[in-house]
Structure formats: C-alpha cells, structure tokens
Amino acid sequence: FDVTAFGARGDRADVQTAEFQSAIDACAAGGGGTVVVPAGTYVVGAIWLRSNITLHLEAGATLMGSEREEDFPVWRSLWEGPGPMQSRVPLLAGEGLENVAITGRGTIDGNGAVWWERHARDHDCPRPWLIRLVDCRNVLVEGVTLRNAPFWTLSPLACENVTIQGVTIVNPADSPNTDGVNPDSCRNVRILNCHIDVGDDCITLKSGKEDDGRQRFKACENIAISNCTLVHGHGGVVIGSEVSGSVRNVVISNCVFIGTDRGIRLKARRGRGGVVENIRVSNLVMEGVLCPIVINLFYGCGNPSPESVDDRIVRPVDSTTPRFRRLRFSNITATDAKYAAMYVLGLPEMYVEDVALSDVMIQLDKNSSESGKPAMSPVVEPHCRSGCIVRNTRGLVMRNVEIVNQLGEALLVTDSEAVSVAGLIAPTASPGPAVRLRGVRDADIRGIRAADGFDCGVNVSG
C-alpha cells in the first residue's frame, strides 16, 4: 500500500495525516501488509498504527511532525503512573497491537523545536512522544533515523517481544526530556546496533512509579542491550528511578559511551519500592563520561519527602523500600572521567547487595575541575576526581580494578559489610591512604598495588 495512492504528497506543503491514516487503515482492513512511504517530505500529525502492519520508509522519505498543536490531540494515557496522565497523541501511536513494525532507511522528524519553545514558556504544556506503543506484542523498529523528538523518542510501555535494531536517534544536547529509548514494564526486549545521541538519557529501563507501578505494571525484564554507541545525554544506560514494578535480567554489552553525564546509572529512592536484580554489564568503553558507574538509592526525584533523603536514620522496611542486588560489571575501560570513578550509595536499612567489578580500568581526567559539576546525590557529594565511593553496601567484590588520577583514596568504603578486594591498582599517588575502610565489617583486602606517595596502603577506622 503506497501512501501516494491515497493522496499523500511528499512536497512538505500540507498536512498529510488523513492520507497516511487512510493507507494504514486500508492495509489493516485487507488483513495486513506493508505501507510504503516513497522519498519525499510528508508533514503529518498524530498517526495510529494497526496490527499486522509494517510502515516502511524508503531512503529519502521523511515524516515531519506538524507545528500545529491541534494535529496532536490531548490524550490521556498511562505514563510512569499513577494512573492515566494528560499528554498528546504521539506522532506514531499504537495500543493493544500485534505484529507491528516501523522499518526502512527513512527519517521520522518530530520538529521538536516548536515544542521545546512551548515547554520553555510553560513547563506544564504536554508534548507528544515521537513513537509510543502501549500493550503491544511482536514489535520491530529497524533501520530508521529518529530526530528532534518533542519529548521521549521511542517509548514502548507494557510491550512484549520488542526488537529495536540499527536505529539512529539524534536530538540536540540541550533539548529537554528527549530520551532515546525508554522501555517501561516491557518483557523480552532487544536493543541492538543503535546510535543514540540525545538531550536526556540514551536508554532508560523503567517499571512504573510507586503504588501504580507495583499494582498495575509488570516488571521490566529480560532485556538485552548490545553493540550501541551512546553519546551525550544525561546517562548512557539508566535503570530507574521509576522501578516500582521491578527490573530484572538485564544484559548490557559491547557498547561505547562518549560524553554522557553518567555511563551506567541505577537510581531509586525510598517510596519507589521494587527490586532491581540480575544486571550484567560487560565489554564497555567510555570516554569523557562524568561518572562511569552510579548506583544511588537516594535519587532526589519527584519532590521527595525530607525523610527519603535522610541517610542517617534507619527507616522501616516495607513494600516502598527499593532493593538493588546481584549487579556485575566486567571488562570496562573508561578514560577522562570527570568527577568520580564509581559511586554506590545504598540505604542504611537496605544495603545494595552483591556488587562485583572485575577487569575494570577507570582513568580520571587530570584537567577536570569543580566548575559546572552536577550533583551526584543530595546525601554524599564526592569531590572532583574522586575514586570509588561506596556506602551502605553488602557483598562488594573487586578484582583487578585500576583507578588512575584520582584525588584522595582510590577506594573509600563506609558503613558496609563483606568487602573483598584483590588486585586493586592505584598508580597515581594522592594524600591519604590508597584504600580507606570506615565502619566496615568482614573485609578481605589483598594485592593492593599503590604508588609511592600515599600515606599508607589501607586505613581502617570505626
């Protein structure tokens, strides 16, 4: 089904939404097939996809989002919880579909600048996603280029069997909330061979927010992310902070991170609840990332109550207490990191459990400064060029880890249990010890290779 046979013209002159919708609906009425978009620029508003449809954009074809607000009707849909929230119908939308695909070498351009300007004037102004699929099965997005998303770019919610492959996503570095790919409460997702350069997180895994996430949404689970280049943005691969339905069984491998604020970032806070577990991260290269590895259970999001960011008091454990465990990081090289090598902060009532690093080298940037430094946490703020900072953790294992150019300790562990370190290399001397343990129980530290100039190899207190 060629859209031009339904009156669509790729001349960028008029809004062609009705013509595209007619082609898609006719294809669906015929039992399914492929809707072909030839080369040209087609201005469109919100388009609804159907089951058993492939929307194929040929090379040179561009879907350009309309500038008119009325072409993206106000829409109430699920979004992170709690309950339906007011937004706008995405440029490409689908709910309750099966066997839906968006393919080709063409481009989908959300014309986001007009929406970013509206957002700057009114932060409550709802903006459309670029692509939004809810409760769909057997989803494929392949080969296309996605640009200038008004809001999140590619957002599957409560979907199953999703493949996102060979996709290029480019949004300006200063564009607000233009995340790349945001699987939320999805199962069996593969994100492969993609290039993502955006103004917020490149890839984020979520599973709903607080009571709504625990009751309505399922876990985000069985996720494979590989062979991707992740550029700029607030985080390369992020889990959270909306993890109330839990996130589990995630593999992140063979990726390159360039200039993201954080590399791998796991975040939540009291009140979110949920379990983040069975995360495997391997074979990564990072360059110019502010902090390569961040695990933070005091993330200050969503107007947190004062007690949710008070790290000194042990709070009761219940369904609202987040839990992070079984996290593995291996074969990672990070150069020119700006502010900290690694940052792990659990709750005093719920330690981060079973964190292991092996064959990891993190080199801090000797030229980095405090100027313009973003806050890492409302609780513990590392100084510029910190080494590995760990607090409220049980079962930390480090094997063959090298920290270069840090200021202060290469490893600082506070208020933690069961720490095992073997083969830590700290070739850059700094005042103080190479390793500091403060309030730590059951530690096994061996094979420290520290440069001359440290006050000592290991300092124990508390």
Side-chain angles (χ1 to χ4, degrees):
F1 292 77
D2 188 322
V3 295
T4 60
F6 292 81
R9 303 180 309 281
D11 56 8
R12 200 171 181 167
D14 300 310
V15 177
Q16 309 282 296
T17 309
E19 291 80 359
F20 270 76
Q21 195 66 65
S22 294
I24 289 170
D25 291 347
C27 186
T34 301
V35 176
V36 177
V37 183
T41 299
Y42 305 82
V43 179
V44 294
I47 295 171
W48 286 94
L49 302 172
R50 308 297 185 204
S51 291
N52 303 314
I53 293 294
T54 294
L55 179 64
H56 182 78
L57 281 69
E58 294 185 340
T62 298
L63 297 188
M64 178 68 69
S66 168
E67 296 184 2
R68 304 184 315 197
E69 291 188 49
E70 59 267 28
D71 290 326
F72 299 90
V74 173
W75 178 53
R76 290 184 64 79
S77 178
L78 298 175
W79 172 42
E80 293 185 344
M85 298 176 66
Q86 182 169 292
S87 58
R88 290 186 181 274
V89 179
L91 194 150
L92 293 178
E95 292 196 0
L97 307 181
E98 293 184 351
N99 309 322
V100 59
I102 302 166
T103 66
R105 302 301 296 174
T107 298
I108 302 172
D109 190 322
N111 203 6
V114 296
W115 294 98
W116 307 330
E117 291 173 5
R118 290 167 183 151
H119 175 73
R121 295 192 301 266
D122 178 9
H123 284 286
D124 293 327
C125 173
R127 292 172 284 162
W129 291 269
L130 192 67
I131 300 174
R132 171 77 158 170
L133 299 169
V134 179
D135 190 28
C136 296
R137 304 291 178 269
N138 303 330
V139 174
L140 172 65
V141 182
E142 182 176 38
V144 292
T145 295
L146 310 178
R147 292 184 175 275
N148 300 319
F151 185 52
W152 291 358
T153 306
L154 177 51
S155 178
L157 169 63
C159 294
E160 187 168 347
N161 191 21
V162 177
T163 301
I164 299 167
Q165 180 168 288
V167 172
T168 298
I169 301 177
V170 180
N171 299 317
D174 61 349
S175 55
N177 313 113
T178 56
D179 295 41
V181 182
N182 292 47
D184 191 338
S185 305
C186 294
R187 298 184 69 238
N188 306 330
V189 177
R190 297 159 300 282
I191 303 172
L192 314 168
N193 308 321
C194 294
H195 175 78
I196 304 175
D197 182 351
V198 294
D200 208 319
D201 295 329
C202 295
I203 298 172
T204 303
L205 307 181
K206 301 175 180 288
S207 62
K209 183 165 61 179
E210 295 167 15
D211 286 346
D212 197 71
R214 286 187 288 273
Q215 296 172 12
R216 181 195 303 269
F217 293 152
K218 297 174 290 187
C220 197
E221 60 186 353
N222 311 337
I223 313 294
I225 300 168
S226 65
N227 305 335
C228 293
T229 50
L230 308 170
V231 183
H232 302 127
H234 295 172
V237 178
V238 178
I239 299 177
S241 66
E242 298 80 12
V243 292
S244 301
S246 298
V247 177
R248 64 173 67 98
N249 305 341
V250 178
V251 175
I252 303 163
S253 63
N254 305 333
C255 294
V256 176
F257 298 66
I258 304 294
T260 59
D261 285 357
R262 283 81 172 174
I264 303 296
R265 186 182 193 188
L266 283 62
K267 57 184 182 178
R269 64 161 169 80
R270 291 177 176 126
R272 292 295 199 218
V275 180
V276 174
E277 61 184 355
N278 305 339
I279 312 298
R280 285 271 177 177
V281 180
S282 63
N283 300 339
L284 307 184
V285 172
M286 303 184 188
E287 181 180 310
V289 171
L290 298 188
C291 187
I293 300 171
V294 177
I295 303 169
N296 183 9
L297 284 175
F298 281 95
Y299 178 64
C301 57
N303 298 316
S305 60
E307 59 268 19
S308 71
V309 294
D310 184 345
D311 72 320
R312 298 294 181 182
I313 300 175
V314 176
R315 303 289 176 180
V317 174
D318 57 23
S319 63
T320 71
T321 306
R323 180 173 298 185
F324 287 7
R325 62 194 180 197
R326 296 194 291 275
L327 315 174
R328 300 290 186 267
F329 303 86
S330 64
N331 302 315
I332 297 173
T333 298
T335 57
D336 292 334
K338 306 301 181 184
Y339 299 124
M342 180 178 73
Y343 180 70
V344 180
L345 179 60
L347 299 170
E349 69 273 15
M350 184 59 69
Y351 284 2
V352 174
E353 296 182 303
D354 302 330
V355 179
L357 283 78
S358 63
D359 298 307
V360 173
M361 192 284 287
I362 300 175
Q363 177 197 67
L364 282 300
D365 181 3
K366 290 190 294 186
N367 298 317
S368 65
S369 68
E370 298 283 346
S371 176
K373 174 182 157 201
M376 298 294 294
S377 164
V379 179
V380 177
E381 183 65 12
H383 57 70
C384 181
R385 288 167 52 194
S386 296
C388 297
I389 300 174
V390 179
R391 185 173 185 178
N392 296 336
T393 300
R394 179 181 296 109
L396 171 69
V397 177
M398 301 178 73
R399 298 285 184 269
N400 300 322
V401 174
E402 182 176 4
I403 307 299
V404 184
N405 293 337
Q406 83 292 338
L407 296 175
E409 305 91 349
L411 173 63
L412 169 62
V413 184
T414 306
D415 300 333
S416 296
E417 298 177 1
V419 175
S420 177
V421 178
L424 176 67
I425 303 171
T428 306
S430 185
V435 175
R436 186 187 299 274
L437 307 180
R438 191 165 55 205
V440 174
R441 296 182 58 192
D442 301 329
D444 178 6
I445 311 295
R446 64 184 68 201
I448 304 300
R449 288 188 283 163
D452 292 338
F454 284 104
D455 293 347
C456 60
V458 181
N459 175 277
V460 178
S461 65

